[in-house]
Amino acid sequence: MKKNRKKLLWLVTAFVSLIGLFLGQQIFSFASTDSTSKLKAKNGLVAKEVASSTVNSTQESSRESVSHVSSEVNSSQAATIETTEPITSEEIEVISETSQEKNTPIEKVETVEEIVPEVSKKNEQKLAPNSIGINGIYKPFHSLGTETNLGVIQGAIDAGWIVTTISTFNPRDNQTTYFGGHNPGIMNFMEENLQTGAIVTVVDSNGTSYDYQAVDHAVVDQYGEAMLNSIGMRVIDLYSNGSNQESIAIQYCLSNSELMIMWYLVPFF
């Protein structure tokens, strides 16, 4: 019986010890956790204070640096203003000459004659009023207006003139102007150059030039019965009345022949 009581007492004591041990561990664990949390909170607060202090120090340092730089810039500007001297007229002239030297081209520019296309002979020379030309050769003409008297016309031709008749030359009158002269003689330049498609230039009394292109011709005797097919007229009719179209007619004798040639030209302007 005593053994049983001892055994029971031992069991109760062991059970109480176990419970006490368990409770002690729980209390220690809770205390340890609470202490750790407080430590972490404390450390966080300290870290925040350190960061805030660092930021404040950095900002203060930046302000001091900016202030220092601004002070140096102001000092530099002041020194520049104080030490700058006004530029004299002699220095301005030197600067101007230096600038001009820098802007002077190094390479030699080609002459205008080398780079500009050759202008026509017609534009190179000043054309005389009341003249007629072909291939740059110009000769004066004598206007007889609307003269129809063959004696008067032939007398002016025999005097060595290029004469005009049928009408006074007017590029806007819608009529033929007749040009005639001797060959050999003053009209030899026409015989040497005039052909179908050639351009003849007539200069009026104001010095204005007008181009005409040769489109037709006929070889005739003194009776002028040959036809100019482009206008359907006999040469004698053209000579007497004109074509009633803006045009010119050029007549001269053929070299070493009793025959004459009549050219018909239309505006090329």
Side-chain angles (χ1 to χ4, degrees), residues 2-15:
K2 286 182 179 182
K3 288 183 178 180
N4 289 336
R5 286 181 178 177
K6 286 183 179 182
K7 190 174 184 178
L8 180 61
L9 181 60
W10 182 83
L11 289 173
V12 171
T13 303
F15 180 74

Side-chain angles (χ1 to χ4, degrees), residues 144 147-158 163:
L144 297 178
E147 180 64 61
T148 58
N149 188 304
L150 293 179
V152 174
I153 296 171
Q154 190 62 49
I157 291 175
D158 291 343
V163 300

Side-chain angles (χ1 to χ4, degrees), residues 34-241:
D34 184 61
S35 176
T36 301
S37 299
K38 289 181 178 180
L39 181 60
K40 287 182 178 179
K42 184 177 181 180
N43 290 339
L45 182 59
V46 170
K48 287 182 180 179
E49 291 177 353
V50 171
S52 176
S53 176
T54 302
V55 170
N56 292 335
S57 298
T58 303
Q59 291 178 345
E60 184 65 25
S61 177
S62 298
R63 284 195 293 267
E64 291 177 356
S65 298
V66 170
S67 176
H68 180 68
V69 170
S70 176
S71 176
E72 289 182 351
V73 169
N74 292 334
S75 299
S76 175
Q77 290 178 343
T80 302
I81 294 172
E82 290 175 359
T83 57
T84 301
E85 296 180 357
I87 300 176
T88 64
S89 57
E90 290 79 4
E91 292 173 333
I92 292 175
E93 291 177 358
V94 171
I95 293 172
S96 177
E97 291 175 359
T98 304
S99 177
Q100 290 177 357
E101 290 176 358
K102 289 182 178 180
N103 293 330
T104 301
I106 297 175
E107 296 183 359
K108 200 173 183 179
V109 179
E110 293 180 316
T111 60
V112 175
E113 291 77 14
E114 293 176 342
I115 61 177
V116 177
E118 182 181 357
V119 296
S120 65
K121 293 180 180 179
K122 175 181 172 182
N123 293 329
E124 284 180 344
Q125 62 187 107
K126 184 178 180 180
L127 303 179
N130 294 328
S131 61
I132 184 170
I134 183 171
N135 291 342
I137 304 170
Y138 288 82
K139 295 193 176 180
F141 62 79
H142 179 65
S143 176
L144 297 178
T146 58
E147 180 64 61
T148 58
N149 188 304
L150 293 179
V152 174
I153 296 171
Q154 190 62 49
I157 291 175
D158 291 343
W161 289 98
I162 297 174
V163 300
T164 65
T165 187
I166 302 177
S167 70
T168 300
F169 176 71
N170 180 349
R172 309 296 181 190
D173 65 355
N174 293 320
Q175 184 55 289
T176 304
T177 300
Y178 168 88
F179 292 81
H182 277 309
N183 179 55
I186 196 169
M187 292 294 277
N188 65 335
F189 77 112
M190 283 292 177
E191 184 181 42
E192 292 172 357
N193 293 281
L194 189 51
Q195 57 185 337
T196 301
I199 301 298
V200 172
T201 301
V202 182
V203 185
D204 67 11
S205 59
N206 296 318
T208 304
S209 61
Y210 300 89
D211 292 338
Y212 291 80
Q213 186 173 39
V215 296
D216 198 2
H217 71 279
V219 177
V220 297
D221 57 15
Q222 60 180 336
Y223 298 105
E225 296 292 334
M227 292 289 294
L228 290 165
N229 296 324
S230 62
I231 54 176
M233 294 182 69
R234 297 183 305 167
V235 169
I236 188 63
D237 295 330
L238 177 66
Y239 174 80
S240 300
N241 305 310

